[in-house]
Amino acid sequence: MNDMTPTSAERAVKLEGMGCKRKRVEDIRFTQGKGNYVDDIKLPGMLYGDFNRSPHAHARIKKIDTAKASAVPGVVAVITAETLKTVNLAWMPTLAGDVQMVLADGKVLFQNQEVAFVIAETREAAADGADLVEVDYEPLPVNVDPMKAMTVGAPMIREDLKDKTEGAHGKRKHYNHIFSWQSGDKAAADAAFAKADVTIREMISYPRVHPCPLETCQCVASFDKIKGELTLYGTFQAPHVIRTVGSLISKIPEHKIHVIAPDIGGGFGNKVGAYSGYICSIVASIVTGVPIKWTESRIDNLSTTAFARDFHMDMELAATKDGKVTGLRCYTIADHGAFDACANATKWPAGLFSIISGSYDFPAAHCLVDGVYTNKAPGGVAYRCSFRVTEAAYAIERAMDIMAQKLGMDCAEFRMKNLIRREQFPYTSAFGWQYDSGDYQTALTKAMESVNYKKLREEQKAKRDAFRRGETRELMGIGVSFFTEIVGAGPSRACDILGIAMFDSAEIRIHPTGSGICRLGTKSQGQGHETTYAQIIASELGIAADNIMIEEGNTDTAPYGLGTYGSRSTPVSGAATAMACRKIKAKAQMIAAYMLEVHDDDLEWDVDRFRVRGNPERFKTMTELAWAAYHEVPPGMEPGLEAINYYDPPNFTFPFGAYIGVVDVDVDTGQIKVRRFYALDDCGTRINPMIIEGQIHGGLTEAFAIAMGQEIHYDDDGNVTTASFMDYFLPTAVETPHWETDWTTTPSPHHPIGAKGVGESPNVGGVPCFSNAVNDAFAFLSSTHIQMPHDNWRTWTAAEKLGLHG
Ligand code: CDP
């Protein structure tokens, strides 16, 4: 070796593997407007579809007249439920075991429900035709209040289920009841409350919100009558699931369906499910023999496809007077809208909500969730969340503040006292989850020191005194949240979708010249998978990340996978990628041993090569081994260098974080200024720190939006009053606060590279932190819980109720 020979460390840096702030390779095309989205797909002879939608939230359909719509120049056909019945597609199964109307069949159940699908030569003609479909409605009583859904005389939403006492998840106790689901030990929790020194109880509502990705849901369906094959391009977070569900619904054999998800402009859970637009486009393509494009408008997106949250949580904590929590109880009403189309694993109708004991060591806990039907859009997706974790984190983090207030303790000190201790991991919660790893006290201590928490509290006290003296009209609030996520669905013993176990996959082929391709069952919607999966391979195989192509989203080429949502890509497919690499590396080691004429065990791995132990001058690089794999394999060995891995994780991963936010509230205007927001995240091994930071910035911005203004609101007649960005708060760079990010690293012990998910953490931890900050501003005057969203009006009203306006 001479002085010019790069050292192992220098070679490692060149690979741009794990830990490197590698620039996002996908941004080269995105920043130049060269992305390939569904809207860019234009096929020969393509027609366009658009929906006529219901103006009513609940009404019987007496007649549909399509004559005027059909007469619009350019309109080719109009499809209604009656048309779909001829191909047995008027209803479709949902991911939650319910059924859902594709087009309104006999009545409409929520505003903007799809009633007729108009196919035309242009998008404009389809929209004009949709406007001219004449529907004779007989309005019915409406209920959009989940708390009233199971009352006597409540409007019956689902007449098709009226005689069914059993649903997909057991007994139904009312005609608007979907399921009851519980977890934990009720008797133990009740006993803890009977003995408690102090208890709190609060109705904590997480309003209905919407993921609102910038690109709405859309597809192009192209049916080839000669081959009997369907090609479906679409904004799909889970392309293989769409193919399987598509085959089950349409009866087209699965091998004759090609699902392609091109670039996707954000998903956040909105693009997991199967929608009427997809089914109608497929049927229309089969009927017309040409490709059909369906593009959702913003109003359609906000008001009809996949809402999130709408959980109303009656939350209770029991504690000793010195601040140790002894019990948790929570009864929740979950509003699933008109059809149960929640995207949850089959066994978990309320998702992973039982992570509600959060980051704390509670001896006893119980939760019960009732799902109900109302006259609202279906959906119930995990909006940047792992199956209802966000709701659970919000409930526990608000409840911890409320209890701290009642005990007269500082909320951070109270949390510190109840956090699971490092030596307790792996920790089994009162709900039976086994948390893989954590070091919570270190994280919270670091967060508190970083923001100088003690000084902030002193400043707050001084401001409160000044407020009392009438010297200022501003109140300062300090929000603390400590959250634990449960991501990486999932272990197949616990999770499946429609019976398909929730594993995921990676297939890697190394080419003769030492570059390669990796195909996966996940699908990036902006998370940077093309950049980060290549970094895992770079570190595992010693091939520069730049020499690895990552491909997702084509069901013909990718191995079967369950897709990207619930921060599962890194915990599941990241693991599959590492495991596939290890198979390749094992074969490469045998080839190296053959070439160097030593035993396999005499070799050691060094960044990008196998070298002979004790004789580092003798080595074979991965590039050399790739070449050899195609022309010089040991006798009896199959040529080639590729591997596939289907990874069924042994457990979820449990990322966590400590967030602290500071707000200033103007009591006269209700305006809230976020002065400071510090987010410490621990996602185990960090693959790309820059992408993690970007994920946290994005998730915190969504958390800010949800906590401060987002709500899909309905009036009493079931009209959606927030179905455009004029009314639904979407923060721009102007409103968005500055984010301070930080981290600790506690690897997952069961993940091959120790990584946990991160994409959703900031949404999960950010919302309670903002809400706690706003509530904290008023906490010295009142113990009333102020509900989200904390917009100016609600904040002003809270101040008014406290008599602060004189
Ligand atoms: O499933 P999804 O991609 O939405 O979420 P994720 O697994 O949390 O990953 C989001 C992005 O962060 C991906 O590009 C990951 O590779 C990256 N990430 C990382 O760099 N290190 C981690 N420990 C976790 C995620």
Side-chain angles (χ1 to χ4, degrees):
M1 211 187 287
N2 62 42
D3 287 348
M4 300 302 285
T5 309
T7 62
S8 300
E10 284 164 350
R11 281 186 277 118
V13 167
K14 284 214 167 116
L15 297 177
E16 297 203 313
M18 288 192 283
C20 168
K21 292 183 180 175
R22 182 176 187 231
K23 282 195 180 156
R24 287 168 40 110
V25 291
E26 41 277 88
D27 287 351
I28 297 168
R29 62 177 190 279
F30 293 155
T31 53
Q32 297 183 52
K34 301 285 186 208
N36 180 37
Y37 296 90
V38 174
D39 200 47
D40 294 313
I41 295 166
K42 293 180 179 71
L43 301 181
M46 189 169 81
L47 301 177
Y48 298 81
D50 201 355
F51 285 108
N52 169 279
R53 295 175 180 276
S54 167
H56 297 279
H58 201 192
R60 210 165 294 290
I61 295 178
K62 288 160 64 184
K63 192 173 160 222
I64 301 178
D65 186 343
T66 60
K68 281 190 187 153
S70 302
V72 171
V75 168
V76 174
V78 183
I79 293 176
T80 64
E82 294 311 311
T83 331
L84 293 179
K85 279 180 190 168
T86 61
V87 283
N88 210 14
L89 282 176
W91 291 67
M92 62 177 172
T94 70
L95 293 179
D98 197 359
V99 286
Q100 175 176 355
M101 292 173 189
V102 175
L103 289 173
D105 183 14
K107 72 171 191 169
V108 288
L109 280 65
F110 61 93
Q111 192 181 51
N112 284 351
Q113 185 177 343
E114 302 82 357
V115 177
F117 191 63
V118 179
I119 304 137
E121 285 161 8
T122 62
R123 219 179 140 187
E124 294 71 24
D128 288 347
D131 276 352
L132 290 177
V133 174
E134 292 179 321
V135 187
D136 190 3
Y137 291 104
E138 177 195 325
L140 295 168
V142 170
N143 179 37
V144 288
D145 182 350
M147 310 315 265
K148 293 185 183 148
M150 291 199 286
T151 54
V152 178
M156 181 188 290
I157 314 293
R158 294 288 298 276
E159 287 168 6
D160 58 305
L161 301 177
K162 74 171 181 292
D163 300 323
K164 291 213 165 152
T165 51
E166 286 276 331
H169 307 286
K171 287 235 167 311
R172 298 172 70 224
K173 52 190 180 196
H174 185 278
Y175 49 76
N176 290 329
H177 182 232
I178 309 172
F179 66 85
S180 282
W181 177 83
Q182 59 179 316
S183 182
D185 184 337
K186 185 168 183 330
D190 289 348
F193 277 81
K195 279 193 285 189
D197 297 335
V198 187
T199 60
I200 61 114
R201 182 173 183 179
E202 188 65 59
M203 173 51 87
I204 297 173
S205 272
Y206 201 135
R208 177 173 278 233
V209 293
H210 197 280
C212 60
L214 287 187
E215 181 201 30
T216 57
C217 298
Q218 35 202 289
C219 73
V220 177
S222 178
F223 187 74
D224 182 328
K225 279 193 175 168
I226 309 295
K227 293 185 185 162
E229 288 182 19
L230 171 71
T231 305
L232 186 64
Y233 304 86
T235 47
F236 307 131
Q237 290 183 233
H240 281 101
V241 177
I242 292 288
R243 188 184 71 185
T244 303
V245 173
S247 174
L248 292 172
I249 294 175
S250 68
K251 307 283 183 265
I252 300 170
E254 198 166 355
H255 68 290
K256 294 202 169 191
I257 301 180
H258 316 286
V259 176
I260 298 168
D263 288 329
I264 298 183
F268 314 114
N270 184 223
K271 294 167 179 171
V272 173
Y275 296 128
S276 300
Y278 307 158
I279 308 291
C280 289
S281 302
I282 294 169
V283 172
S285 182
I286 293 171
V287 171
T288 60
V290 293
I292 307 292
K293 179 180 273 193
W294 168 66
T295 310
E296 220 185 16
S297 72
R298 179 59 57 193
I299 291 176
D300 300 347
N301 181 255
L302 281 169
S303 62
T304 67
T305 45
F307 76 94
R309 326 295 193 235
D310 221 339
F311 259 41
H312 308 277
M313 303 165 285
D314 184 357
M315 184 71 175
E316 293 177 273
L317 288 182
T320 60
K321 55 179 175 302
D322 62 344
K324 195 85 186 84
V325 176
T326 50
L328 176 157
R329 285 192 302 221
C330 182
Y331 172 66
T332 295
I333 293 269
D335 185 343
H336 285 211
F339 305 97
D340 185 12
C342 284
N344 285 321
T346 309
K347 288 195 196 91
W348 309 97
L352 305 174
F353 184 66
S354 56
I355 193 76
I356 192 169
S357 53
S359 316
Y360 309 106
D361 181 19
F362 295 166
H366 178 255
C367 70
L368 170 64
V369 181
D370 274 320
V372 296
Y373 291 120
T374 60
N375 290 116
K376 296 180 182 173
V381 294
Y383 166 12
R384 210 171 184 146
C385 149
S386 187
F387 308 114
R388 306 294 189 181
V389 171
T390 311
E391 291 87 329
Y394 181 60
I396 183 61
E397 287 307 292
R398 278 300 300 128
M400 287 300 278
D401 260 29
I402 294 165
M403 178 57 102
Q405 192 181 352
K406 188 155 182 187
L407 288 164
M409 281 176 79
D410 176 81
C411 68
E413 184 197 332
F414 177 55
R415 282 181 172 80
M416 197 68 96
K417 192 163 187 156
N418 285 282
L419 285 175
I420 302 161
R421 295 185 313 280
R422 184 171 40 184
E423 61 275 15
Q424 289 176 281
F425 289 93
Y427 170 83
T428 304
S429 78
F431 289 110
W433 298 115
Q434 195 180 79
Y435 294 29
D436 57 351
S437 63
D439 186 354
Y440 294 175
Q441 273 88 358
T442 301
L444 185 53
T445 305
K446 188 172 184 192
M448 290 168 73
E449 284 172 4
S450 300
V451 299
N452 202 341
Y453 184 75
K454 196 162 160 274
K455 192 149 172 264
L456 282 175
R457 285 291 176 202
E458 283 164 12
E459 185 190 347
Q460 184 186 44
K461 186 176 174 306
K463 279 213 148 184
R464 284 173 172 175
D465 291 344
F467 183 84
R468 282 200 191 89
R469 290 194 299 270
E471 292 163 14
T472 175
R473 297 296 290 156
E474 240 181 28
L475 290 173
M476 177 177 165
I478 303 169
V480 177
S481 75
F482 197 104
F483 65 93
T484 295
E485 269 246 82
I486 170 170
V487 303
S492 62
R493 65 179 189 286
C495 301
D496 71 84
I497 285 190
L498 296 175
I500 310 163
M502 291 188 78
F503 54 84
D504 228 289
S505 57
E507 183 209 71
I508 303 175
R509 289 184 188 168
I510 302 301
H511 308 317
T513 52
S515 62
I517 182 165
C518 175
R519 295 189 166 109
L520 302 110
T522 47
K523 176 65 206 170
S524 187
Q525 310 118 45
Q527 296 93 326
H529 289 181
E530 287 168 51
T531 307
T532 50
Y533 283 132
Q535 291 185 256
I536 297 175
I537 299 170
S539 289
E540 289 283 335
L541 287 183
I543 295 174
D546 274 349
N547 289 337
I548 301 292
M549 160 104 72
I550 300 296
E551 189 186 282
E552 298 176 301
N554 185 337
T555 55
D556 282 348
T557 54
Y560 203 98
L562 276 284
T564 291
Y565 40 86
S567 271
R568 63 187 299 280
S569 302
T570 304
V572 192
S573 280
T577 305
M579 297 307 276
C581 285
R582 288 174 194 182
K583 288 185 191 175
I584 288 174
K585 203 165 155 185
K587 183 169 180 183
Q589 184 167 1
M590 286 192 270
I591 299 172
Y594 173 69
M595 292 172 79
L596 292 164
E597 297 178 334
V598 294
H599 191 274
D600 296 5
D601 294 346
D602 292 333
L603 295 175
E604 62 185 6
W605 178 250
D606 174 36
V607 181
D608 57 355
R609 61 194 60 185
F610 281 105
R611 66 184 182 200
V612 178
R613 272 181 218 283
N615 191 358
E617 306 278 302
R618 295 194 66 221
F619 61 83
K620 289 290 169 193
T621 65
M622 205 60 195
T623 312
E624 291 171 310
L625 294 169
W627 185 256
Y630 291 89
H631 87 288
E632 198 189 345
V633 290
M637 181 187 272
E638 261 181 72
L641 200 54
E642 59 184 68
I644 185 162
N645 183 264
Y646 285 85
Y647 188 77
D648 183 2
N651 190 5
F652 293 89
T653 66
F654 294 76
F656 59 93
Y659 290 1
I660 299 177
V662 184
V663 300
D664 292 308
V665 180
D666 183 326
V667 295
D668 293 327
T669 62
Q671 204 182 7
I672 298 169
K673 283 194 217 112
V674 180
R675 195 200 304 177
R676 200 166 171 193
F677 199 99
Y678 168 93
L680 179 148
D681 276 275
D682 191 320
C683 58
T685 305
R686 291 150 55 83
I687 300 163
N688 184 326
M690 186 190 68
I691 285 192
I692 292 174
E693 198 177 5
Q695 291 285 303
I696 291 167
H697 282 196
L700 287 176
T701 305
E702 286 177 329
F704 167 70
I706 293 169
M708 299 309 194
Q710 290 189 340
E711 182 179 8
I712 296 291
H713 176 264
Y714 291 81
D715 69 14
D716 289 346
D717 295 325
N719 298 305
V720 195
T721 62
T722 50
S724 84
F725 286 154
M726 295 294 283
D727 309 297
Y728 189 75
F729 176 48
L730 194 77
T732 66
V734 176
E735 296 91 7
T736 302
H738 172 73
W739 310 118
E740 297 168 55
T741 58
D742 205 346
W743 71 93
T744 53
T745 303
T746 315
S748 166
H750 64 76
H751 189 280
I753 56 171
K756 305 179 179 184
V758 76
E760 301 164 0
S761 295
N763 196 324
V764 172
V767 173
C769 189
F770 280 115
S771 190
N772 281 346
V774 176
N775 274 279
D776 182 66
F778 294 99
F780 71 117
L781 298 164
S782 153
S783 60
T784 311
H785 161 68
I786 306 167
Q787 297 280 3
M788 281 196 298
H790 302 292
D791 54 23
N792 293 5
W793 167 247
R794 282 186 181 82
T795 311
W796 184 89
T797 307
E800 173 74 5
K801 279 190 188 148
L802 289 171
L804 298 181
H805 297 143

